[in-house]
Amino acid sequence: MQKPTIVLDAYWRQVSELFSEADFARLHTAFDVVWGQDAPIPQEVLDGALPDAVALISADPRVSRDTLEAAPGLKAVVEVSGAFPASIDYAACAKRGVEVLSCSPGFRESVAEMAVAMALAGARGLVTEHELFRNGRESWLADHPERDFSLFDCPVGFVGFGAIAQETLRLLRPFRPVVRAYDPFLDDDAAAAKGVILTSLEEVLSQSRCIFVMAAPTVENKGMIGAQQLSKMPNGSLLVLASRAHLVDFDALLRDTTFGRIRAAIDVFPQEPVDRKSQMRFNPNLILSPHRAAAVKGGRHLIGKMIVDDLLEITAGRAPTQLLRAADRDVELLAGVSDAAPVAEMAAKR
Ligand SMILES: NC(=O)C1=CN([C@@H]2O[C@H](COP(=O)(O)OP(=O)(O)OC[C@H]3O[C@@H](n4cnc5c(N)ncnc54)[C@H](O)[C@@H]3O)[C@@H](O)[C@H]2O)C=CC1
Ligand SMILES: O=C(O)C(=O)CO
């Protein structure tokens, strides 16, 4: 029997960053894969494949009514950049019954692991003492209660309680944290099922010693953590920023961390790469990570597994269960907010 055709146009990503060898083999066993190379797909290859394609996997999917007309058998569009882009006609896809899926849940393990690493490094003064040690100024056997704390029984807060936050909490569970979360799109039952107190942003910020910012960037939440919100954080508390700089007023964050009243561990920045002369580079109360939360060998392979699993479901006539479905989200809030262009440019230079 002929295998269904899929178009794999992952560039600017590398195919091997998305798929383990085993999942790439599963993909090829189940589907006739067009392109699948680490270079942009030539337009004529795409045009030639669309009439037979059941799925289009792309880091930069451009799907208009014309695309849908050219692809009468299309059942799914999978974006592999990390967020729903503005370049898809979501209404036209919904009308045609084409699933639009985002790979974003496939980052959860690697990003959660890094968030825990950043929290532990911040909470135990690891990076600070390491830097002081290099300069002969380290403090032997000192507790530093004004700065350091244990995650055991610690009040921990989440701003945004989606896939990455939930995975982070799963990893933190052995520390028995007392967990509060602010997420206006989560209901009480879902939070209760995870053992989390769903509450206001103010309470999360004022009652937690360690706060993870993990909300998706939307058209509504730019700079939602500003000077007023940061002022609620207790002295000596730590902000771990893992989702997007969009959520935080960086001028306010840099002001509040300058003298160490609060500290921050940051993986994502308003401009990436950060300017060589930025004050951030000289602020000892910041742990700086160059957008590497998912950057580890295999750190994006869950994406490939989810893609293969969901495409098998979709081509069997069932609903996808792994990737994020546009149909389940208010795409108006999300689409195009996260600009993939700087990430794509940095990725090209790896
Ligand atoms: N640092 C890195 O390398 C990476 C960062 N990310 C970022 O992490 C974000 C979160 O990823 P996931 O957990 O997989 O997404 P998700 O969609 O599962 O969860 C996002 C959560 O944010 C919540 N949210 C939206 N607006 C909010 C608001 N105003 N206040 C509080 N919560 C709000 C949503 O209700 C949702 O529960 C992504 O959108 C992406 O920007 C993702 C992968 C890698
Ligand atoms: O690490 C990556 O590949 C990302 O896109 C993070 O946002």
Side-chain angles (χ1 to χ4, degrees):
M1 209 178 74
Q2 217 190 337
K3 295 191 250 185
T5 299
I6 62 164
V7 178
L8 175 56
D9 169 29
Y11 187 81
W12 46 274
R13 294 208 181 274
Q14 290 159 357
V15 170
S16 63
E17 106 187 30
L18 293 176
F19 295 93
S20 66
E21 279 181 26
D23 284 319
F24 202 49
R26 282 208 301 145
L27 190 75
H28 277 273
T29 302
F31 301 102
D32 180 13
V33 180
V34 174
W35 197 240
Q37 299 184 34
D38 290 333
I41 191 170
Q43 190 61 44
E44 63 277 14
V45 176
L46 180 62
D47 291 345
L50 281 178
D52 297 320
V54 295
L56 168 63
I57 304 167
S58 173
D60 184 17
R62 287 149 200 264
V63 182
S64 63
R65 279 171 203 278
D66 290 347
T67 322
L68 295 176
E69 253 173 54
L74 198 68
K75 291 183 180 2
V77 175
V78 184
E79 77 74 31
V80 290
S81 161
F84 290 116
S87 56
I88 295 178
D89 187 333
Y90 294 91
C93 287
K95 199 161 166 208
R96 252 279 308 278
V98 173
E99 280 281 356
V100 182
L101 299 163
S102 167
C103 73
S104 78
F107 290 97
R108 67 168 180 252
E109 291 183 352
S110 46
V111 177
E113 179 184 44
M114 182 65 120
V116 172
M118 292 169 86
L120 283 167
R124 299 301 302 273
L126 195 62
V127 174
T128 309
E129 288 297 326
H130 168 85
E131 289 188 350
L132 292 169
F133 209 132
R134 294 241 182 249
N135 296 310
R137 293 169 48 224
E138 74 281 5
S139 41
W140 295 89
L141 282 172
D143 287 8
H144 280 298
E146 79 295 349
R147 181 191 72 194
D148 296 352
F149 55 94
S150 168
L151 281 185
F152 279 98
D153 303 309
C154 181
V156 162
F158 287 93
V159 178
F161 196 64
I164 292 173
Q166 292 178 31
E167 185 67 15
T168 303
L169 178 55
R170 198 178 69 78
L171 300 181
L172 288 177
R173 275 289 174 219
F175 291 106
R176 307 180 300 264
V178 178
V179 185
R180 293 179 177 78
Y182 170 68
D183 190 323
F185 301 99
L186 196 73
D187 62 54
D188 287 325
D189 292 345
K194 300 277 176 193
V196 165
I197 304 162
L198 195 58
T199 183
S200 63
L201 178 60
E202 180 171 339
E203 189 174 321
V204 166
L205 294 170
S206 63
Q207 300 303 312
S208 310
R209 184 88 195 250
C210 180
I211 295 144
F212 294 92
V213 179
M214 295 188 156
T218 73
V219 293
E220 293 176 348
N221 63 16
K222 188 167 171 52
M224 68 180 266
I225 300 182
Q228 207 220 338
Q229 289 71 28
L230 292 169
S231 71
K232 308 285 179 210
M233 287 176 60
N235 290 350
S237 55
L238 175 73
L239 188 90
V240 178
L241 174 55
S243 64
R244 283 291 179 269
H246 178 94
L247 278 298
V248 176
D249 174 343
F250 259 65
D251 289 339
L253 181 64
L254 298 184
R255 268 197 309 274
D256 275 22
T257 52
T258 299
F259 297 109
R261 189 191 78 75
I262 60 170
R263 289 171 304 127
I266 309 175
D267 186 56
V268 280
F269 300 85
Q271 274 90 43
E272 295 180 0
V274 168
D275 193 277
R276 300 279 296 195
K277 295 197 174 111
S278 166
Q279 281 305 311
M280 277 187 272
R281 294 183 185 271
F282 309 101
N283 181 336
N285 301 310
L286 300 178
I287 293 177
L288 304 170
S289 164
H291 203 147
R292 293 189 62 242
V296 64
K297 191 172 179 341
R300 303 172 189 90
H301 280 176
L302 185 55
I303 293 173
K305 180 183 179 307
M306 289 174 146
I307 290 175
V308 181
D309 288 350
D310 272 357
L311 290 184
L312 289 171
E313 290 298 303
I314 290 169
T315 49
R318 293 186 291 267
T321 59
Q322 308 278 314
L323 298 162
L324 189 65
R325 301 172 76 182
D328 290 343
R329 281 293 198 276
D330 187 348
V331 179
E332 296 265 295
L333 282 179
L334 298 166
V337 177
S338 197
D339 182 8
V343 179
E345 207 180 309
M346 291 184 297
K349 292 184 186 149
R350 281 180 290 191

